[in-house]
Amino acid sequence: MVKKMLVQTDYPRYDEAADNRYQVYKMRDPFPEIPPALLNSADIKAYVKQTGMIHPFDEKELQSASYKVKIGGKVIYWEYDEQQKNKIQKVELELANELDGFDLAPNSIAFVELEPCFRIPEYMALRFNLKIKHIYKGLLLGTGPLVDPGFVGKLFIPLHNLTHNTYHFKYGDTLI
């Protein structure tokens, strides 16, 4: 007896729906006919719809063989405290809407959370890097660039500013 697979035609609307799809397909590839390789946009869409591996997913951020990931969530960085000379103060904030942002000071580092939750099936790995426009500014991504098979959660990445310039980031900016 051959079991028929229900092919999903929409992206999961809720995190729970994405997790349910992931639980079904975390160990079983729904598209064994797709060869192991860098996925194109059609394959990325199919896997996201079927497995819930990126939630929320915005199709407008999909490119020919990649997906632009937005900033959203916690940001941690350190800044000089003007009141207490030579003291460094840890700053933690939450980017939750379009009005929220932060400045990445010259020669500094910030740890930035990315918006979507990733649920990477056991038969797949993700590769990521900083968007080229940020690299040309003198910024550097401090981790990766690989997300292991089976990873579930949000990515939290160190972002280095190697320049003498201050750069402003806000909720929803695409970073990687």
Side-chain angles (χ1 to χ4, degrees):
M1 182 170 139
V2 176
K3 282 188 174 181
K4 281 198 128 186
M5 175 180 67
L6 173 64
V7 177
Q8 299 293 337
T9 58
D10 287 324
Y11 302 107
R13 292 186 182 178
Y14 304 101
D15 196 60
E16 184 179 353
D19 191 56
N20 289 340
R21 292 181 193 187
Y22 172 73
Q23 294 304 324
V24 171
Y25 293 106
K26 69 180 177 180
M27 300 294 283
R28 183 173 62 109
D29 189 345
F31 304 109
E33 68 280 5
I34 297 175
L38 181 66
L39 299 178
N40 63 41
S41 61
D43 295 340
I44 294 170
K45 286 186 340 186
Y47 273 107
V48 171
K49 287 178 181 179
Q50 197 67 26
T51 69
M53 69 183 197
I54 303 172
H55 182 78
F57 184 81
D58 183 354
E59 197 169 306
K60 293 183 298 238
E61 302 301 339
L62 192 59
Q63 296 182 301
S64 59
S66 63
Y67 179 69
K68 296 185 286 186
V69 179
K70 299 176 182 180
I71 296 173
K74 188 181 280 192
V75 175
I76 301 172
Y77 60 93
W78 291 260
E79 65 182 18
Y80 182 73
D81 187 341
E82 291 291 333
Q83 295 175 354
Q84 298 180 21
K85 300 292 182 203
N86 298 323
K87 296 285 183 178
I88 301 294
Q89 154 178 325
K90 182 179 179 182
V91 177
E92 292 187 44
L93 52 97
E94 188 80 19
L95 304 183
N97 63 56
E98 299 81 25
L99 302 175
D100 296 336
F102 73 100
D103 288 329
L104 184 59
N107 300 307
S108 70
I109 184 172
F111 293 88
V112 181
E113 188 173 31
L114 302 176
E115 180 186 47
C117 180
F118 292 91
R119 293 174 175 87
I120 310 307
E122 293 291 336
Y123 45 85
M124 190 177 291
L126 296 185
R127 185 177 177 282
F128 68 92
N129 209 337
L130 199 58
K131 286 181 63 178
I132 196 72
K133 76 176 190 176
H134 299 308
I135 293 169
Y136 287 152
K137 290 178 180 178
L139 303 178
L140 177 68
L141 183 66
T143 61
L146 187 71
V147 180
D148 288 329
F151 173 82
V152 175
K154 292 191 171 213
L155 293 176
F156 204 65
I157 60 173
L159 184 61
H160 301 266
N161 181 353
L162 302 176
T163 74
H164 295 289
N165 303 315
T166 298
Y167 292 104
H168 183 74
F169 291 93
K170 63 184 186 325
Y171 171 85
D173 283 346
T174 55
L175 189 62
I176 64 169

